[in-house]
Amino acid sequence: DLDKAEDLLDEAGWTDSDGDGIRDKEIDGRLVPFEFTLITYQTETGLQASILLKENLEKIGVVCNVKPTEFTVLVESTQNRTFEAAMGGWSSGTDPDTSANIYASGESRNYAGYSNPRVDELYEQGRREFDLAKRAGIYAEIHNILWEDQPYTWLFYRNSFYAFSKKLRGYN
């Protein structure tokens, strides 16, 4: 909802004080425009989503410069936290625990530096629980906490399909 976003920006002090159509805010005695660079992967999906985001942000006075970035550079920038904003995509396996390396404290793909002791504790509980219903409840709680904390802003979800042969055993 653009109106709600504008209200939140106004409350945070990001207004268009000089009437140029771009929100700004005085920071350390300097008028700073609300402008940032979004690095994104170079796939059609990544570019389309980034451009749509840019166009919607322009409607509320925020400048988003989309920068298509080669994948290895994108990963290096996120790992080193040398970016202002990044568009990325995650895929996981069929087990919800595979997302722990994104959201658990200190994990390799936790590029946002997210840390919540309750989430870490729940991942540990999920790994030790064999009752499927109880396990589902644990991961549902993780999902709800992540939704509230928003370490990332999820824009869309693509279905993925996995197939396994029952004959395949012992392969890593």
Side-chain angles (χ1 to χ4, degrees):
D1 181 356
L2 292 179
D3 290 334
K4 184 176 180 180
E6 288 179 313
D7 290 344
L8 290 171
L9 288 168
D10 288 344
E11 288 173 24
W14 290 98
T15 61
D16 183 8
S17 66
D18 56 9
D20 66 355
I22 299 171
R23 290 179 178 271
D24 49 54
K25 183 177 184 176
E26 189 172 318
I27 300 173
D28 296 328
R30 194 174 126 246
L31 196 61
V32 177
F34 198 139
E35 180 175 1
F36 65 95
T37 298
L38 172 70
I39 59 174
T40 185
Y41 44 102
Q42 296 176 312
T43 65
E44 185 176 342
T45 302
L47 292 172
Q48 287 176 345
S50 298
I51 290 168
L52 181 61
L53 179 63
K54 171 190 175 62
E55 290 170 352
N56 280 280
L57 288 171
E58 285 174 354
K59 292 177 183 178
I60 58 172
V62 175
V63 178
C64 172
N65 302 301
V66 175
K67 182 180 178 184
T69 307
E70 196 273 325
F71 184 73
T72 57
V73 175
L74 179 75
V75 170
E76 182 179 324
S77 296
T78 55
Q79 286 175 334
N80 296 329
R81 294 184 176 93
T82 56
F83 65 98
E84 294 176 325
M87 169 80 68
W90 297 117
S91 62
S92 63
T94 57
D95 190 300
D97 192 68
T98 59
S99 64
N101 69 1
I102 301 170
Y103 303 113
S105 300
E107 289 291 335
S108 61
R109 294 194 311 166
N110 185 347
Y111 302 144
Y114 176 70
S115 179
N116 182 318
R118 179 66 179 150
V119 169
D120 295 344
E121 176 186 320
L122 288 166
Y123 273 117
E124 287 299 320
Q125 286 178 17
R127 287 185 193 112
R128 290 178 171 82
E129 182 57 62
F130 293 101
D131 180 284
L132 292 180
K134 289 179 183 176
R135 199 163 188 263
I138 291 168
Y139 289 101
E141 186 177 343
I142 291 171
H143 172 82
N144 289 334
I145 293 169
L146 292 173
W147 181 255
E148 288 298 318
D149 289 352
Q150 289 285 305
Y152 295 91
T153 299
W154 299 280
L155 299 176
F156 59 91
Y157 175 82
R158 288 191 317 192
N159 284 331
S160 297
F161 299 98
Y162 298 92
F164 301 95
S165 169
K166 289 182 179 183
K167 296 177 185 177
L168 184 62
R169 295 287 183 255
Y171 180 77
N172 292 322

